[in-house]
Amino acid sequence: MELIFEISKNGRRGFIPPKMDIKPYKLSSKYVRKSSLKLPEVTEGDVVRHYTNLSRLNYAVDTGFYPLGSCTMKYNPRLSERIASLSGFAEIHPYQNPETVQGALELMYKLGESLKKISGMDAITLQPAAGAHGEYTGIAVIRKYHRDRKDFNRDEIIVPDSAHGTNPASSAMNGFKVVEIKSDDRGMVDVEELKKAVSSHTAGMMLTNPNTLGIFEENILEISKIVHSAGGLMYYDGANLNAIMGQIRPGDLGFDIVHFNLHKTFSTPHGMGGPGSGPIAVKAFLTDFLPVPIILKKGEKYVLDFSLKKTIGKVRSFYGNFSVLVKAYAYILIMGEEGIKRASEMAVLNANYLRTKISKILKVPYNARCMHEFVASTTNLQNKNIKALDFVKRMLDYGIHPPTVYFPLIVHEDIMVEPTETESKDTLDRFVEIVTKIAKEANKNPEVLKSAPHETPVRRLDDTKAARHPILRWKEN
Ligand SMILES: *Cc1c(COP(=O)(O)O)cnc(C)c1O
């Protein structure tokens, strides 16, 4: 595709402003450009076509199935987008007097109340801008909690080997040592390993449940007890909340801090680094440590409260990514209690349907009932030369976004599939059909996998080069 700079023609205009009817002001020459700004010269039609064509090169959940494990790429109702773009939400400013934005504060307050109810927690901040940022904030709360009690020895956070990379990263960024513990042969935290790992150095444990293998940690109550008896706190990585919302509450499983990925579970398109939101909720005894301000209801008024005595400070400008908060609250209201519950049931049902079908084609190492996602592996293919990467790149040729690969790190050549509740049985059956086809190709015609994708605007990338030497802007040659 030609870039907009390449279709530019000297003198072509998309817009001609009306003639000025005021006297021009002469700028001092030191502010005046010596050469012209090289903007593309195109018609309005050229611009519209350029961006529309670019958008059509993208794969999106709006164009097809997007079973990216650990990411909850569900279809997001357009109604929440419409609500977030109402001018009363979209055109207010964070510096406005709180008296003039009572509706926005009410929305944030009520969203907080809903999230507390869903998670079984007592207090909340909506500030963090993503899941990883929520983790950072939550671990900072853990750090301050122990210091406040003059318990300076606690310098370790326990993280299972199936954890998302952001868990050890947020611990390390807060100055903790990361103690990794192994999973057992059913893909769960090994309780004996955990008992050995806890000590007077334990500040806390980070856990997602269901874990990244899509397996519910059955021993969660015992795990919480072990960590608590050692004096540590329990952190819930809420990225997989879609699997349990409306069914059970992290607060009842012994967790002290929870983050939500509103852009996964609560209806904001997720991915490509767009605005996200990672509120954290805590048990009552940690309220004083939350970032300020928090939103309180005083009589009939909503106020920003800065009075938390032991606050870790601010973690983001203003109050969080407001438009994401609007979409999350709209989604919760659209779904209602019954709908939220039904969504998690359907997500789990869809994942188990796919797991059962896929396990006849690929190896599914932990092939027991799963939650919202499952992990398969290509190691059972006859042709040992075919990697998980080759397998999923071929899916692109059949019009499906590849699932997550090579995560979690404890399964070789793994493909992590999360269908979500918003896909129909027809879509899931088509996915199974495509996986069946590709598995056959892997034996009969492996080269077609090795060189896939063939039908996409860009063929297979050199991942390392793309990460190390990205070309992010056009340069005139
Ligand atoms: C996505 C994810 C995170 C990080 O969340 P972001 O919002 O992407 O920063 C953390 N843990 C797990 C298990 C995840 O899937």
Side-chain angles (χ1 to χ4, degrees):
M1 189 182 141
E2 277 182 315
L3 296 178
I4 196 155
F5 299 99
E6 291 159 345
I7 57 176
S8 171
K9 285 268 154 49
N10 273 345
R12 193 166 276 176
R13 307 284 291 265
F15 173 71
I16 298 172
K19 276 223 155 48
M20 270 209 308
D21 54 5
I22 50 169
K23 244 173 84 178
Y25 174 79
K26 201 147 174 59
L27 274 179
S28 143
S29 64
K30 73 175 177 203
Y31 296 122
V32 176
R33 263 180 194 289
K34 302 287 177 291
S35 59
S36 78
L37 189 62
K38 290 213 173 86
L39 292 175
E41 297 179 74
V42 288
T43 67
E44 180 174 325
D46 291 335
V47 176
V48 169
R49 285 190 185 150
H50 174 72
Y51 284 106
T52 305
N53 286 330
L54 266 186
S55 79
R56 283 163 45 157
L57 300 180
N58 277 343
Y59 192 95
V61 77
D62 285 354
T63 53
F65 187 33
Y66 210 131
L68 200 65
S70 209
C71 288
T72 310
M73 299 294 291
K74 59 167 90 177
Y75 172 77
N76 298 296
R78 283 300 176 273
L79 184 53
S80 11
E81 294 287 339
R82 281 247 304 273
I83 292 169
S85 61
L86 293 175
S87 66
F89 292 131
E91 289 168 23
I92 51 177
H93 194 278
Y95 277 139
Q96 256 172 269
N97 182 335
E99 290 283 335
T100 67
V101 286
Q102 283 291 304
L105 294 181
E106 178 178 357
L107 181 139
M108 289 193 277
Y109 179 83
K110 288 187 168 166
L111 171 64
E113 293 303 297
S114 302
L115 294 175
K116 275 155 60 178
K117 190 167 170 196
I118 291 169
S119 59
M121 308 304 275
D122 305 313
I124 193 162
T125 171
L126 305 172
Q127 260 181 47
H133 195 194
E135 290 174 30
Y136 174 80
T137 307
I139 301 299
V141 166
I142 293 183
R143 183 162 168 255
K144 188 123 190 197
Y145 165 79
H146 290 303
R147 296 201 165 184
D148 181 59
R149 305 171 75 234
K150 312 259 180 292
D151 197 348
F152 297 112
N153 260 341
R154 299 193 179 269
D155 56 356
E156 294 176 355
I157 298 278
I158 299 173
V159 176
D161 59 3
S162 61
H164 196 264
T166 49
N167 291 187
S170 341
S171 305
M173 276 184 76
N174 274 292
F176 287 107
K177 284 182 217 145
V178 177
V179 178
E180 187 180 280
I181 52 163
K182 283 209 165 16
S183 306
D184 64 15
D185 52 13
R186 292 193 303 157
M188 298 179 204
V189 168
D190 189 323
V191 173
E192 292 312 312
E193 289 280 321
L194 177 63
K195 282 182 188 157
K196 280 186 245 158
V198 294
S199 71
S200 60
H201 281 275
T202 305
M205 176 176 195
M206 298 184 86
L207 199 61
T208 180
N209 194 14
N211 63 29
T212 61
L213 295 163
I215 297 171
F216 189 81
E217 297 281 355
E218 275 174 22
N219 302 316
I220 183 60
L221 293 176
E222 193 185 353
I223 292 170
S224 302
K225 210 165 138 196
I226 295 169
V227 173
H228 283 151
S229 340
L233 300 185
M234 288 293 288
Y235 182 96
Y236 182 76
D237 173 340
N240 296 332
L241 192 69
N242 206 48
I244 61 160
M245 56 177 183
Q247 313 288 336
I248 50 164
R249 310 187 307 167
D252 299 330
L253 303 179
F255 288 98
D256 304 295
I257 306 174
V258 171
H259 85 243
F260 306 83
N261 303 63
L262 296 187
H263 49 282
K264 291 181 181 174
T265 318
F266 297 99
S267 151
T268 278
H270 166 224
M272 297 303 158
S277 177
I280 65 164
V282 298
K283 287 279 171 68
F285 72 99
L286 295 172
T287 308
D288 249 5
F289 299 98
L290 286 177
V292 285
I294 54 169
I295 298 155
L296 295 180
K297 189 174 182 194
K298 294 217 164 127
E300 288 307 301
K301 283 244 150 63
Y302 296 91
V303 294
L304 295 168
D305 183 84
F306 288 84
S307 71
L308 299 181
K309 281 185 219 65
K310 297 168 181 171
T311 176
I312 59 164
K314 273 183 90 62
V315 294
R316 192 187 180 282
S317 53
F318 307 117
Y319 321 112
N321 279 329
F322 181 64
S323 75
V324 182
L325 306 179
V326 178
K327 285 179 231 176
Y329 191 55
Y331 179 75
I332 289 172
L333 290 184
I334 294 165
M335 299 291 279
E337 271 183 43
E338 272 312 302
I340 296 263
K341 206 168 156 188
R342 185 112 178 104
S344 59
E345 283 165 9
M346 295 305 290
V348 171
L349 180 62
N350 278 356
N352 278 289
Y353 180 76
L354 266 194
R355 177 184 56 79
T356 313
K357 298 263 173 177
I358 298 293
S359 66
K360 302 200 170 83
I361 314 163
L362 296 174
K363 181 175 163 187
V364 174
Y366 304 100
N367 197 12
R369 197 154 69 179
C370 65
M371 297 295 287
H372 62 305
E373 65 191 359
F374 66 94
V375 173
S377 159
T378 55
T379 48
N380 69 319
L381 294 174
Q382 273 168 25
N383 186 338
K384 294 300 166 214
N385 201 17
I386 294 292
K387 304 286 172 209
L389 187 70
D390 306 319
F391 201 95
V392 302
K393 287 288 184 198
R394 181 66 176 147
M395 287 183 191
L396 284 163
D397 290 332
Y398 292 107
I400 284 195
H401 192 281
T404 301
V405 284
Y406 302 114
F407 174 74
L409 304 175
I410 54 177
V411 178
H412 292 298
E413 298 301 332
D414 61 323
I415 297 180
M416 184 188 207
V417 182
E418 178 179 0
T420 82
E421 73 279 12
T422 57
E423 298 299 339
S424 67
K425 180 169 172 293
D426 297 336
T427 305
L428 305 185
D429 286 337
R430 197 174 116 67
F431 180 71
V432 174
E433 220 174 87
I434 288 166
V435 171
T436 311
K437 248 190 214 163
I438 298 175
K440 281 192 187 133
E441 288 176 343
N443 290 331
K444 287 211 188 93
N445 186 10
E447 197 36 48
V448 74
L449 271 69
K450 279 279 163 206
S451 52
H454 305 267
E455 312 286 342
T456 48
V458 177
R459 300 286 301 273
R460 195 178 299 201
L461 292 174
D462 177 339
D463 295 349
T464 315
K465 196 165 173 208
R468 298 285 153 82
H469 304 285
I471 301 171
L472 299 176
R473 73 188 181 95
W474 177 81
K475 270 202 206 117
E476 196 180 16
N477 47 26

